Amino acid sequence: MFYNRTPRDLAGSAPVKSVLTGELISNASEEFRHEREVEFLCSLSPDCLENILTGFGRRASHRSITAIRGPAEVRFLRSQIILFRLRSDAVPALVR
Protein backbone atom coordinates (compact mmCIF):
# COMPACT_ATOMS: atom_id res chain seq x y z
CA MET A 1 0.00 0.00 0.00
CA PHE A 2 2.75 2.48 0.92
CA TYR A 3 5.44 1.31 -1.46
CA ASN A 4 7.31 4.59 -1.57
CA ARG A 5 7.99 4.65 2.17
CA THR A 6 11.12 3.17 3.63
CA PRO A 7 10.92 1.29 6.93
CA ARG A 8 12.44 3.01 9.93
CA ASP A 9 15.73 1.71 11.17
CA LEU A 10 14.70 0.43 14.59
CA ALA A 11 18.10 -1.14 15.25
CA GLY A 12 19.70 2.31 15.33
CA SER A 13 17.33 3.72 17.94
CA ALA A 14 19.00 4.92 21.11
CA PRO A 15 17.88 3.68 24.52
CA VAL A 16 16.62 6.26 26.99
CA LYS A 17 15.82 5.94 30.69
CA SER A 18 12.11 5.83 31.42
CA VAL A 19 10.83 8.17 34.13
CA LEU A 20 7.86 5.90 34.81
CA THR A 21 9.72 2.59 35.14
CA GLY A 22 13.36 3.59 35.59
CA GLU A 23 14.41 1.10 32.90
CA LEU A 24 16.10 1.69 29.57
CA ILE A 25 13.63 1.76 26.69
CA SER A 26 14.07 2.28 22.97
CA ASN A 27 13.09 5.69 21.66
CA ALA A 28 11.22 3.90 18.86
CA SER A 29 9.08 1.81 21.23
CA GLU A 30 5.46 2.05 22.28
CA GLU A 31 6.60 2.59 25.89
CA PHE A 32 8.52 5.68 24.79
CA ARG A 33 5.47 7.00 22.91
CA HIS A 34 3.31 6.46 25.99
CA GLU A 35 5.80 8.22 28.23
CA ARG A 36 5.95 11.23 25.91
CA GLU A 37 2.14 11.35 25.92
CA VAL A 38 2.08 11.34 29.73
CA GLU A 39 4.82 13.99 29.81
CA PHE A 40 2.73 16.20 27.49
CA LEU A 41 -0.38 15.72 29.63
CA CYS A 42 1.63 16.67 32.73
CA SER A 43 2.66 19.93 31.12
CA LEU A 44 -0.96 21.08 30.68
CA SER A 45 -2.84 23.29 33.10
CA PRO A 46 -5.38 21.44 35.29
CA ASP A 47 -8.34 22.90 33.37
CA CYS A 48 -6.89 22.04 29.97
CA LEU A 49 -5.98 18.53 31.15
CA GLU A 50 -9.52 17.92 32.37
CA ASN A 51 -10.93 19.19 29.08
CA ILE A 52 -8.76 16.84 27.06
CA LEU A 53 -9.48 13.85 29.28
CA THR A 54 -13.23 14.23 29.73
CA GLY A 55 -14.47 16.80 27.22
CA PHE A 56 -14.60 20.53 26.67
CA GLY A 57 -16.83 22.48 29.01
CA ARG A 58 -19.38 20.78 31.22
CA ARG A 59 -20.69 18.42 28.54
CA ALA A 60 -18.69 15.42 27.39
CA SER A 61 -17.08 15.84 24.02
CA HIS A 62 -17.04 13.18 21.35
CA ARG A 63 -13.33 14.02 20.82
CA SER A 64 -12.18 13.57 24.42
CA ILE A 65 -9.87 10.75 25.45
CA THR A 66 -12.76 9.28 27.46
CA ALA A 67 -14.95 9.15 24.35
CA ILE A 68 -12.20 7.74 22.13
CA ARG A 69 -10.37 5.31 24.45
CA GLY A 70 -12.86 4.81 27.27
CA PRO A 71 -13.01 5.60 31.00
CA ALA A 72 -10.62 2.80 31.98
CA GLU A 73 -7.85 4.32 29.85
CA VAL A 74 -8.47 7.74 31.41
CA ARG A 75 -8.14 6.25 34.92
CA PHE A 76 -4.88 4.61 33.83
CA LEU A 77 -3.60 7.89 32.32
CA ARG A 78 -4.47 9.78 35.51
CA SER A 79 -2.44 7.28 37.58
CA GLN A 80 0.47 7.56 35.13
CA ILE A 81 0.34 11.36 35.32
CA ILE A 82 0.54 11.26 39.11
CA LEU A 83 3.43 8.78 38.95
CA PHE A 84 5.27 10.87 36.36
CA ARG A 85 4.89 14.02 38.48
CA LEU A 86 6.22 12.23 41.56
CA ARG A 87 9.23 10.73 39.77
CA SER A 88 10.10 13.65 37.55
CA ASP A 89 11.96 16.87 38.17
CA ALA A 90 10.12 18.34 35.18
CA VAL A 91 7.21 19.64 37.27
CA PRO A 92 8.65 20.37 40.75
CA ALA A 93 6.04 23.03 41.60
CA LEU A 94 3.19 20.52 41.36
CA VAL A 95 4.94 17.92 43.51
CA ARG A 96 5.87 20.14 46.43
Side-chain angles (χ1 to χ4, degrees):
M1 183 167 164
F2 298 104
Y3 299 108
N4 60 347
R5 295 186 182 185
T6 58
R8 292 184 351 182
D9 182 21
L10 298 180
S13 63
V16 293
K17 186 172 181 180
S18 169
V19 174
L20 294 173
T21 63
E23 299 175 357
L24 289 177
I25 58 174
S26 168
N27 65 0
S29 67
E30 183 66 20
E31 292 87 5
F32 183 78
R33 186 209 57 84
H34 172 71
E35 190 153 331
R36 296 293 69 84
E37 178 184 30
V38 171
E39 182 179 20
F40 168 73
L41 292 172
C42 282
S43 70
L44 299 175
S45 69
D47 290 337
C48 187
L49 176 63
E50 193 61 30
N51 286 340
I52 287 176
L53 292 176
T54 61
F56 295 95
R58 292 268 177 196
R59 60 187 176 87
S61 172
H62 68 283
R63 296 297 303 154
S64 67
I65 293 177
T66 302
I68 294 170
R69 299 186 196 173
E73 178 69 16
V74 171
R75 284 191 300 274
F76 176 70
L77 281 173
R78 287 183 194 274
S79 69
Q80 293 289 290
I81 289 168
I82 292 168
L83 183 64
F84 190 89
R85 286 179 177 165
L86 290 174
R87 292 185 177 174
S88 171
D89 295 334
V91 194
L94 296 175
V95 176
R96 294 181 188 152

